[in-house]
Amino acid sequence: MTIGFSSRAVRSTCVLCVAGLLTLMPAAAAARAGRPDPGPPGGARPAAQPSLLYRSGTQVRLRPGAPGVPDVSALSWVVADADSGDVLAAHDAHRRLPPASTLKTLFALTVLPVLPGGIRHEVRGDELNGIGPGSSLVGIVEGHTYRVSDLWNGVFLNSGNDAVHVLASLTGGWDATAARMQAEARALGARDTHVRSPDGYDAPGQVSSAYDLAVFGRAGLRNPDFARYCAKVDAMFPGRNGDAYGIRNTNRLLTGEDGVEPYPGLIGIKNGYTSNAGNTLVAAARRDGRTLVVTVMNPQEGGGHAVYEEARSLLDWGFEASGRVLPVGSLASGGARPRSGPEALPAAVAAARPSRHDPGWRETGAIVGVAGLGAGAVALVLRLRLVRIRSS
């Protein structure tokens, strides 16, 4: 099965963003960790105080009768409502730390919209160059042809750095992808993140924060492809000579592997580990119509599975505290997100396009927008959506 693209020039208009005034209020003593904040008379919900998230230590505003936050050992963590963006509690939310493979959430947000899953690509040897020693791999073979959807399974389930390298090559190369990821982070209001290696492999100067990773996780849940991939437990991956082998998600809170109990209602998102970053995790769960997103970075106690157990305790607390805490900040404080994307349809994608008359796929829409990618830079954004109308 091959896929063709038809393009239409659509002129977009520029939208002027009007910046609002943010009034910073001194935090009351009751806003400190563990002390109930009864709120104003009449039970009115006060505005969140974003400045609290830049303070060191645990930040939470408990109403009377609210459960106390659990004692966890992670260097940094965040519990937030994925729908409203309210941060319910946090510890050193903006502390800049190595993210490991949780940075793949930002990679997916940046690259997924411009690479339809049905594209087939034959892997070249140079696309597998530069993979860091000890990287997690899904087993991509030079000269083998893969669907883009297979590569995304490799990214989300196996955390395959080889899959990231191939996908990055399809969208302009390693450095260009890192630059687009940086622009995407800024567009989302995530200002703690500095991208050096798109796969999350340790690199000098590469950092993120529990706050930024929660922003990426929340944004990912709003992308149907991202949400579908991050929730997969297992998949088949193409092997040599037409054979396929099973791969399984390494997020043990989702799968229940290695003695970790799966979390009820978990819907993804991404775990990570390097020797420098320690264990990191962005997790989201849904219960009684409410979705929470939690970030846990580098637990200091409890071994390799502590990241899952600490995320579990924070999720439990977040659901139990529903309606009984006041927000200490917001994941939406970065403001409206402009469109972003590559400067043009990558040559590798254009080269992969076959006849537009292939009856197996139908193009259902193309949106062309404008987004800034740096000082004075303007990029053309192609959003392509294809619907499969017959099986191959």
Side-chain angles (χ1 to χ4, degrees):
M1 170 68 65
T2 51
I3 302 171
F5 298 105
S6 62
S7 60
R8 281 188 259 172
V10 180
R11 299 187 181 220
S12 62
T13 58
C14 296
V15 179
L16 296 177
C17 298
V18 181
L21 295 177
L22 176 64
T23 303
L24 298 178
M25 301 176 62
R32 291 179 180 168
R35 184 171 174 184
D37 182 351
R45 182 178 182 273
Q49 301 180 41
S51 60
L52 292 179
L53 294 179
Y54 286 92
R55 296 185 175 188
S56 62
T58 301
Q59 305 300 321
V60 62
R61 303 169 71 195
L62 302 174
R63 291 178 182 266
V69 293
D71 183 17
V72 296
S73 68
L75 294 180
S76 178
W77 55 262
V78 162
V79 182
D81 187 293
D83 296 318
S84 67
D86 287 344
V87 177
L88 308 183
H91 180 85
D92 290 350
H94 287 284
R95 181 173 179 176
R96 294 180 176 183
L97 296 166
S101 284
T102 52
L103 193 64
K104 289 182 172 77
T105 56
L106 178 59
F107 174 76
L109 286 173
T110 305
V111 177
L112 263 172
V114 295
L115 280 182
I119 292 175
R120 292 181 180 272
H121 174 65
E122 182 177 335
V123 173
R124 304 187 312 270
D126 63 288
E127 294 172 337
L128 300 175
N129 292 339
I131 298 174
S135 287
S136 54
L137 305 172
V138 70
I140 291 174
V141 178
E142 176 185 352
H144 193 91
T145 297
Y146 300 88
R147 288 184 185 270
V148 164
S149 58
D150 295 325
L151 300 177
W152 282 118
N153 283 335
V155 170
F156 277 93
L157 277 67
N158 254 53
S159 204
N161 288 2
D162 48 354
V164 173
H165 273 255
V166 174
L167 289 166
S169 75
L170 288 171
T171 53
W174 199 245
D175 293 339
T177 299
R180 286 196 297 274
M181 289 172 64
Q182 191 70 64
E184 182 79 2
R186 295 298 177 267
L188 289 166
R191 302 194 174 275
D192 302 319
T193 300
H194 295 275
V195 181
R196 300 291 183 267
S197 183
D199 55 6
Y201 194 83
D202 286 337
Q206 179 155 279
V207 292
S208 190
S209 67
Y211 177 89
D212 284 11
L213 292 172
V215 168
F216 303 152
R218 178 180 183 240
L221 293 178
R222 298 181 173 190
N223 179 311
D225 290 329
F226 185 111
R228 175 169 52 84
Y229 284 119
C230 81
K232 278 189 178 183
V233 172
D234 47 39
M236 297 302 293
F237 194 81
R240 296 177 184 270
N241 303 319
D243 296 329
Y245 53 90
I247 58 175
R248 192 166 178 83
N249 203 311
T250 57
N251 181 354
R252 293 164 180 82
L253 208 59
L254 179 67
T255 64
E257 294 288 325
D258 298 333
V260 176
E261 287 293 324
Y263 190 83
L266 198 83
I267 51 177
I269 296 174
K270 189 73 188 73
N271 58 316
Y273 173 81
T274 68
S275 56
N276 188 35
N279 287 283
T280 58
L281 176 67
V282 184
R286 186 175 295 118
R287 183 184 300 174
D288 298 328
R290 189 165 183 231
T291 302
L292 297 182
V293 59
V294 164
T295 307
V296 178
M297 300 191 76
N298 200 354
Q300 300 297 288
E301 301 173 1
H305 292 167
V307 71
Y308 302 110
E309 299 309 325
E310 294 193 2
R312 182 193 310 277
S313 64
L314 290 170
L315 285 167
D316 283 345
W317 174 83
F319 286 119
E320 185 182 357
S322 176
R324 293 191 281 174
V325 295
L326 301 174
V328 295
S330 174
L331 300 181
S333 60
R337 175 186 178 279
R339 297 186 183 276
S340 61
E343 294 182 348
L345 187 65
V349 175
R353 63 183 186 182
S355 169
R356 61 177 293 183
H357 301 294
D358 186 330
W361 294 83
R362 178 175 69 243
E363 182 179 337
T364 60
I367 302 173
V368 181
V370 175
L373 291 182
V378 177
L380 190 66
V381 183
L382 300 180
R383 304 284 187 187
L384 295 161
R385 183 173 300 170
L386 298 119
V387 175
R388 191 171 187 173
I389 58 175
R390 70 171 175 83
S391 59
S392 58

